[in-house]
Amino acid sequence: MRSTMTAVLERAALVTDELATEPYELPWAQEARFFVQAHELTGTLELTTEISPDGLTWCPADVPVLRAETPGMTSWLVTGFGQWLRVRCRVSGDPGAAARLRIYLVGKS
Amino acid sequence: MSIAAPAAYAGLSKYDPLGRILCFDRFDSTTHGWTELIGNYNGQGDLGTVDDHMRDFRPPQLSSCSFFDVGTHGTLSGNYALKLATRAYRGHTATGIRRLTMAGRGRVRIETYFAFKAEATVGHELPASVAWDGNRHPSESQFGAFTVATDICADNGVRYHNVIRYQNTNLDGEMTQRWMYPVVPEPTPRDHQEGKFALPYAADFTAPDPDDWRYFDEPLEMCVNEVPTKINWHYLRWDIDTSTRSNVELRLNDRVMDMSDVPVPIYPDRYSTLDNLLNFYFSVRTHANIRNFLFLDSVLISVDW
């Protein structure tokens, strides 16, 4: 039987410019999926997946940058990563642009 | 379990369980029920109603204990350890909680092999009360405290927590290396609902007032092994007694500490929906703006009923 595990990385994070989630280790997982739920969103939300071999130094993963402009859920798959994952969330637009985010990370062996 | 345990029990022979094993958690397969603690919320699922100091205890991780300098360290028993990681925020706490109930009363024993570390600082320095001298390392003084505790409720709603904490540094980052216990019960969401307190983010949820903690036993130096990326596993064995709502004994490697005089405060009022509650949690708290980690190789919980 395969293993799976869901982590709630953020529950109601208010992002007005940029937020990188805390480093999360998934050394056992072959695949992972982010779910970013924008409960509130004004402006543009840009989501960049980042990977790290040590939890200290990061680079973009081999995943396209995703964008959202309305509240709702955005999800994407990540494979072939090295141990640590995080997502960098940027909000841009008119003054006052902001996002209220719940972020899940699901790993599967 | 005798020292000459069969090889088939190699995983178990490093433990010393009581007669009935409730759980033996090795983290090469799942988190075995050790999950993030979160405060209570209202009937609409509104997480904005969770107390500020109980809304961000961080999800446990399965870690291969890998570091920037040596790569994968691994664990005592296998590939993965359960890792609790704080934010890099002074006072922040990460938790892992395991939820059981009691089928009897009596002696309860929790054992683990654990390690603790502050996150490595690479390319930047943080304030530290210990200077690098080739043996000691600033990282040693950048770890705050870890806690092992229970949440128990039985016999018509009588609720209490047995708590032990190893305080590596005080809130000023000075080395203390002492065991501690609180003399008050943990503030609960119901206390908040009733207007008894309102605690800020990163308050010490176990007992928020530092004056409500007492030291017990003598200072104890752990094997932190010089730098933030060497993992040495420590054995911890803690006995409590749920028939007398008391502490019994704590063992850390070769140090055995009589805890029979360490009090266990009960809540003055009674709680519902918690009959026979038997929860255990591990937590780690940073006293500086640096992530602190608690690694658990494995955990065994046993009882004498």
Side-chain angles (χ1 to χ4, degrees):
Chain A
M1 185 174 292
R2 298 171 72 181
S3 291
T4 187
M5 185 171 159
T6 299
V8 185
L9 300 182
E10 293 289 346
R11 293 202 171 76
L14 177 64
V15 183
T16 55
D17 49 7
E18 185 172 299
L19 167 79
T21 55
E22 285 292 293
Y24 198 82
E25 238 183 296
L26 283 168
W28 54 273
Q30 187 169 10
E31 61 185 67
R33 178 170 281 281
F34 279 99
F35 292 87
V36 175
Q37 190 174 8
H39 291 286
E40 304 161 14
L41 176 59
T42 55
T44 299
L45 173 64
E46 186 180 275
L47 302 165
T48 306
T49 310
E50 296 187 334
I51 55 176
S52 171
D54 56 14
L56 300 173
T57 308
W58 299 82
C59 66
D62 309 325
V63 175
V65 174
L66 296 169
R67 290 180 180 80
E69 297 187 335
T70 55
M73 184 91 92
T74 302
S75 178
W76 66 99
L77 179 69
V78 194
T79 59
F81 50 89
Q83 304 250 32
W84 273 268
L85 278 168
R86 72 179 184 184
V87 57
R88 183 174 294 279
C89 312
R90 287 193 188 90
V91 174
S92 59
D94 295 335
R100 177 77 67 180
L101 303 179
R102 183 173 300 168
I103 303 176
Y104 299 93
L105 178 59
V106 181
K108 193 174 286 184
S109 60
Chain B
M1 185 64 62
S2 71
I3 292 173
Y9 295 106
L12 195 55
S13 63
K14 60 179 172 289
Y15 284 106
D16 186 21
L18 300 173
R20 189 182 305 281
I21 295 173
L22 297 185
C23 49
F24 179 29
D25 302 327
R26 287 158 291 183
F27 298 108
D28 277 0
S29 58
T30 84
T31 48
H32 286 263
W34 292 96
T35 187
E36 178 180 356
L37 173 64
I38 183 174
N40 298 343
Y41 46 86
N42 70 5
Q44 287 80 51
D46 179 2
L47 299 184
T49 61
V50 176
D51 291 349
D52 277 341
H53 73 294
M54 297 188 78
R55 64 174 168 79
D56 187 31
F57 286 145
R58 309 309 304 160
Q61 308 175 45
L62 293 175
S63 170
S64 60
C65 304
S66 296
F67 300 99
F68 79 97
D69 53 354
V70 295
T72 295
H73 198 301
T75 70
L76 178 66
S77 301
N79 292 325
Y80 302 117
L82 190 78
K83 172 180 156 184
L84 308 180
T86 72
R87 289 186 188 266
Y89 185 95
R90 184 175 184 267
H92 182 264
T93 299
T95 64
I97 189 166
R98 191 128 167 43
R99 298 189 168 106
L100 310 175
T101 54
M102 295 188 284
R105 300 286 183 275
R107 186 74 69 96
V108 177
R109 173 171 291 177
I110 182 167
E111 300 170 81
T112 186
Y113 283 82
F114 70 94
F116 63 89
K117 287 290 177 182
E119 187 170 59
T121 56
V122 180
H124 66 284
E125 291 183 31
L126 287 173
S129 62
V130 171
W132 185 59
D133 65 3
N135 170 213
R136 299 189 68 182
H137 189 280
S139 173
E140 171 187 345
S141 64
Q142 292 168 344
F143 183 88
F146 70 84
T147 302
V148 193
T150 66
D151 187 1
I152 299 173
C153 188
D155 307 322
N156 300 313
V158 177
R159 187 179 182 187
Y160 59 96
H161 304 268
N162 306 73
V163 178
I164 52 170
R165 169 172 293 181
Y166 182 74
Q167 186 198 52
N168 184 60
T169 61
N170 61 25
L171 289 165
D172 295 324
E174 300 160 338
M175 300 295 296
T176 52
Q177 301 177 295
R178 298 294 303 267
W179 291 98
M180 310 176 79
Y181 64 94
V183 294
V184 295
E186 173 189 314
T188 67
R190 190 175 73 182
D191 291 335
H192 186 189
Q193 183 80 4
E194 293 172 347
K196 295 177 180 172
F197 73 88
L199 294 168
Y201 183 80
D204 181 357
F205 83 96
T206 303
D209 186 344
D211 291 337
D212 285 333
W213 290 84
R214 303 285 183 273
Y215 290 124
F216 69 96
D217 208 71
E218 299 301 312
L220 178 65
E221 182 178 294
M222 301 274 194
C223 181
V224 297
N225 199 345
E226 302 184 311
V227 298
T229 56
K230 295 179 181 175
I231 295 288
N232 290 76
W233 300 97
H234 295 72
Y235 174 59
L236 181 148
R237 187 187 76 193
W238 183 29
D239 283 19
I240 64 170
D241 192 321
T242 60
S243 64
T244 54
R245 304 186 191 112
S246 59
N247 291 306
V248 178
E249 183 182 275
L250 173 64
R251 175 172 177 172
L252 194 290
N253 283 343
D254 54 351
R255 174 83 66 90
V256 178
M257 294 159 268
D258 179 1
M259 290 192 66
S260 55
D261 290 334
V262 173
V264 181
I266 67 169
Y267 288 93
D269 45 4
R270 299 294 168 256
Y271 278 81
S272 301
T273 82
L274 302 175
D275 197 33
N276 280 310
L277 180 80
L278 180 62
N279 286 354
F280 300 86
Y281 73 79
F282 291 88
S283 71
V284 53
R285 187 166 191 242
T286 182
H287 293 166
N289 292 325
I290 183 170
R291 292 187 185 91
N292 278 188
F293 305 135
L294 181 66
F295 299 94
L296 304 177
D297 166 80
S298 47
V299 181
L300 191 148
I301 297 170
S302 59
V303 298
D304 72 354
W305 62 66

